[in-house]
Amino acid sequence: MEQHKLTIDMNEATIDQLRDHHFALFGLHAIATSASGAPTIWLSAHYLERHLEITWNETYSMYTTRQTPHAPSTKIVATHNYPAPLGSVLTVSGNDGAGIVTPGGPAGHMEIDNTGRIELGAGLCIHDSHGMYQPMGVFDLIDVDLFQPIPKVAFFFSPIPHMAGEIATRSLGPGVLLDYQMSSNGSLSIEYDIHDGWATNNRPYARTIAANEPLNPLLLIRSSALQALAMQRQRSATRG
């Protein structure tokens, strides 16, 4: 379990504007996968202050849900949720998405196998800043899906009410993508100004996200290697 921290510093004029117009901070987490899907909002912070600190633990679970169209603003609710370490396999046998977690998955990854007859939705959850499991995307579960959490997160301030688990296929406003692989201690900091936006200059771990920019290319990494591995594991399971 690795703790990550984000510090956002803002001036008085910025924080006053954000509060007066009821802005909140929203976060989405990147993931590599063999499956097709859509990003979901994972984290939210509604109490804003000049020196804002957000912390979360990279603690994961695998979830299933009914098959859902990947339409923007659709709220994803997990039917079944199974906390598990990386390297675990969730074998789903029930048509409602129920299953059993066992070891034996690829190292550093999570695997969800659908052995039932019903196509489902599935994905990984991660702890938000309140210690609650929230989806970091929703994906089609037809047979075998493989997932690998990627330590990149996107953050946005928005005055529009959003919820954790809500599908977001485009940015919620001008945002920032932060790469925690470039942090030696799991902590990153950045400044935000209501007029100038996110201060990404001289911060190689940060890049700006334009308003209305598509999020799938930034946050969902469709890995051909994972697709090949998923097919291989599906064939092995079939032979077994």
Side-chain angles (χ1 to χ4, degrees), residues 176-214:
V176 64
L177 182 69
L178 301 171
D179 187 352
Y180 276 83
Q181 293 176 104
M182 302 183 71
S183 169
S184 60
N185 60 359
S187 181
L188 294 176
S189 62
I190 196 165
E191 297 168 3
Y192 177 79
D193 182 274
I194 193 71
H195 301 295
D196 299 328
W198 300 92
T200 58
N201 288 343
N202 301 316
R203 289 182 171 88
Y205 52 80
R207 62 146 284 194
T208 56
I209 301 173
N212 209 39
E213 183 173 343

Side-chain angles (χ1 to χ4, degrees), residues 64-149:
T64 59
T65 186
R66 62 183 178 83
Q67 192 177 36
T68 307
H70 301 159
S73 301
T74 301
K75 174 78 162 76
I76 302 302
V77 178
T79 307
H80 297 278
N81 189 48
Y82 300 93
L86 293 174
S88 298
V89 178
L90 171 61
T91 302
V92 177
S93 55
N95 290 340
D96 65 344
I100 298 173
V101 175
T102 57
H109 297 72
M110 306 280 252
E111 177 178 332
I112 306 179
D113 299 348
N114 185 4
T115 62
R117 299 178 179 177
I118 303 295
E119 293 184 10
L120 299 164
L124 300 192
C125 291
I126 179 174
H127 272 177
D128 65 9
S129 54
H130 305 291
M132 303 289 290
Y133 284 107
Q134 303 291 357
M136 62 170 92
V138 60
F139 304 88
D140 296 328
L141 179 61
I142 300 171
D143 35 57
V144 175
D145 285 359
L146 290 174
F147 302 99
Q148 180 185 24

Side-chain angles (χ1 to χ4, degrees), residues 38-79:
T40 55
I41 295 169
W42 139 71
L43 178 149
S44 63
H46 296 269
Y47 179 75
L48 305 180
E49 49 192 342
R50 286 189 60 180
H51 183 76
L52 180 62
E53 294 185 347
I54 304 293
T55 60
W56 68 93
N57 291 316
E58 292 278 323
T59 304
Y60 309 114
S61 67
M62 294 177 279
Y63 80 91
T64 59
T65 186
R66 62 183 178 83
Q67 192 177 36
T68 307
H70 301 159
S73 301
T74 301
K75 174 78 162 76
I76 302 302
V77 178
T79 307

